[in-house]
Amino acid sequence: MVYLLMSYTHIEMSRKKVSDEIQAEVIFKSNRECVVCDTHKRGDHIHHIDGDNSNNEFENLAFLCFDCHSEATMQRSLKKKLTPKAIIKFRDHKYQVIATERKNSLKTFNSPINGLSTEDLLRISTNAIIIIEIEKLKEEYFSADWAGRSNIISKLQKFSDHTDFRVAVDVYKFLTHAADLTRGGMTSDIAGSIFSLVIDFFPYSENKEDSDKTIELAKQCSNIAFSLVYDAIIYLKNYEIVMFGLSILKFIYLRGKRQKIQQLVDRVNETYREIEQTLLRPEMDDLGDALQLINEFRTHIDETNLSFPPISDNLMKLLYSSR
Ligand SMILES: [Zn+2]
């Protein structure tokens, strides 16, 4: 009897929650943007299109911003524009646009292969093997629970000696997926690993021709930072994770200054703007500490080291309590 009861509860629980893998896929395919708004606005809610919260099929889900989600779930609105049919149409279009954008951005990393030296060939083969290993680790990561994930993600570290632009693309794709799931229960340990991995895999090139690639990678890193910061504030109240996310932004900013690539600096400023904009949530009255922390980081962004900025006693207390 006890057994029956337990297994019943288990089924009920697993029915309610969208699986981590599906959540990550929904958010990734939308590029963490609202699929309805046409303005690259960041999304927040995984919406159940048919209104049935236990129907967690990928096809029944769409990532929406706060406003669109309210609109879609409004019960009695005469001018309700966001019908399930409309959302599906918006979503499928969005997935297509994002997929095309990604395919095009990958072209940035394509270099022609004529006149290969043995050394080149060896490097390319090594890359291929590493990319396969990364893919394996990614699968392993998503099928583990949060306790097991910390160990798995840190295994990426061993490839960092071989990093180049192409390897970095795949590492950051993994990290993007991982960060997209922050709301599901990210730990400070994993966030710390994500921060180190972002830094260790970011290639350094003096070559002017590589700046497009650098900009593209910085874009991915800012997305990772955004996911960590936003989810950790709204869903986890874990300020240590917020600090790791903000430190990623600082890293990109300093790299932009050092390499004189203004687009990196602009990207970080844009991400700060997005964070501040998405945190304008009148229904949440406990965002003051988070906004203060963000402000501290932004104020000290020009200091050329990656240690955390000085923070108030109150924030320090919060930081320890969120551990
Ligand atoms: Zn929207």
Side-chain angles (χ1 to χ4, degrees):
M1 186 56 200
V2 171
Y3 171 72
L4 273 176
L5 203 66
M6 273 173 64
S7 57
Y8 178 72
T9 319
H10 180 76
I11 290 165
E12 276 300 289
M13 277 173 65
S14 59
R15 209 188 261 168
K16 271 178 208 141
K17 198 175 167 278
V18 183
S19 81
D20 284 355
E21 213 162 351
I22 291 183
Q23 270 195 61
E25 200 178 343
V26 168
I27 300 176
F28 186 76
K29 283 205 160 163
S30 333
N31 199 31
R32 205 166 240 272
E33 294 167 7
C34 173
V35 297
V36 172
C37 288
D38 209 15
T39 53
H40 299 288
K41 191 172 167 194
R42 298 291 184 174
D44 175 72
H45 285 74
I46 294 185
H47 173 62
H48 290 79
I49 297 170
D50 68 358
D52 175 1
N53 284 340
S54 65
N55 180 2
N56 291 328
E57 296 291 321
F58 178 76
E59 280 302 317
N60 188 41
L61 303 169
F63 202 53
L64 300 181
C65 72
F66 186 67
D67 294 334
C68 290
H69 185 251
S70 311
E71 164 83 23
T73 45
M74 223 178 335
Q75 287 300 325
R76 281 184 293 273
S77 166
L78 286 174
K79 51 176 183 149
K80 184 168 166 175
K81 287 164 292 189
L82 286 184
T83 59
K85 229 177 169 172
I87 293 173
I88 291 172
K89 222 173 138 189
F90 279 123
R91 179 198 63 187
D92 293 349
H93 177 69
K94 180 76 178 180
Y95 286 174
Q96 216 167 23
V97 170
I98 296 296
T100 311
E101 273 176 15
R102 289 211 172 106
K103 219 167 126 194
N104 289 339
S105 85
L106 209 53
K107 282 183 196 149
T108 316
F109 298 92
N110 238 343
S111 30
I113 46 162
N114 36 27
L116 282 185
S117 68
T118 315
E119 245 355 89
D120 288 337
L121 202 59
L122 190 65
R123 189 178 46 80
I124 292 164
S125 322
T126 311
N127 274 5
I129 292 167
I130 292 175
I131 287 168
I132 293 166
E133 288 300 316
I134 293 170
E135 200 54 43
K136 276 195 219 157
L137 283 175
K138 196 167 136 192
E139 247 169 65
E140 212 186 307
Y141 181 89
F142 283 105
S143 46
D145 57 14
W146 284 103
R149 281 174 183 162
S150 174
N151 191 27
I152 297 167
I153 201 165
S154 62
K155 287 187 195 163
L156 282 171
Q157 199 73 47
K158 65 178 172 225
F159 303 120
S160 66
D161 289 344
H162 298 279
T163 191
D164 68 358
F165 284 100
R166 191 57 190 82
V167 169
V169 171
D170 276 53
V171 170
Y172 292 165
K173 196 172 151 196
F174 181 161
L175 300 182
T176 303
H177 262 90
D180 280 345
L181 261 190
T182 300
R183 57 184 64 195
M186 170 76 66
T187 64
S188 302
D189 265 3
I190 300 175
S193 291
I194 291 177
F195 166 66
S196 313
L197 291 164
V198 162
I199 290 173
D200 292 345
F201 279 92
F202 206 93
Y204 186 86
S205 165
E206 297 280 359
N207 194 340
K208 270 272 164 268
E209 282 164 23
D210 285 332
S211 66
D212 279 352
K213 297 181 203 169
T214 306
I215 293 163
E216 201 55 46
L217 291 181
K219 226 191 304 183
Q220 288 190 33
C221 295
S222 313
N223 284 338
I224 293 166
F226 178 90
S227 303
L228 289 174
V229 172
Y230 180 81
D231 277 13
I233 291 172
I234 300 285
Y235 296 95
L236 305 176
K237 297 271 175 281
N238 181 327
Y239 297 97
E240 207 176 9
I241 296 178
V242 176
M243 287 173 90
F244 283 125
L246 295 171
S247 299
I248 291 175
L249 290 180
K250 185 173 187 180
F251 167 74
I252 298 299
Y253 179 94
L254 293 175
R255 188 50 86 81
K257 288 276 177 187
R258 183 168 149 210
Q259 293 196 241
K260 299 190 175 56
I261 306 178
Q262 182 57 31
Q263 288 94 324
L264 266 57
V265 173
D266 294 344
R267 184 75 200 180
V268 170
N269 288 329
E270 169 66 14
T271 307
Y272 263 105
R273 201 190 54 76
E274 280 178 338
I275 291 171
E276 280 155 5
Q277 192 204 335
T278 46
L279 288 181
L280 290 174
R281 296 274 293 266
E283 87 289 6
M284 297 185 90
D285 55 6
D286 56 351
L287 298 178
D289 296 312
L291 291 168
Q292 197 195 333
L293 186 60
I294 290 163
N295 195 40
E296 299 285 356
F297 265 80
R298 208 175 183 182
T299 311
H300 292 91
I301 201 161
D302 271 307
E303 283 166 18
T304 50
N305 63 64
L306 282 176
S307 57
F308 294 158
I311 55 174
S312 69
D313 289 351
N314 184 35
L315 278 171
M316 196 61 112
K317 259 182 238 148
L318 276 169
L319 205 60
Y320 283 103
S321 67
S322 67
R323 279 194 173 187

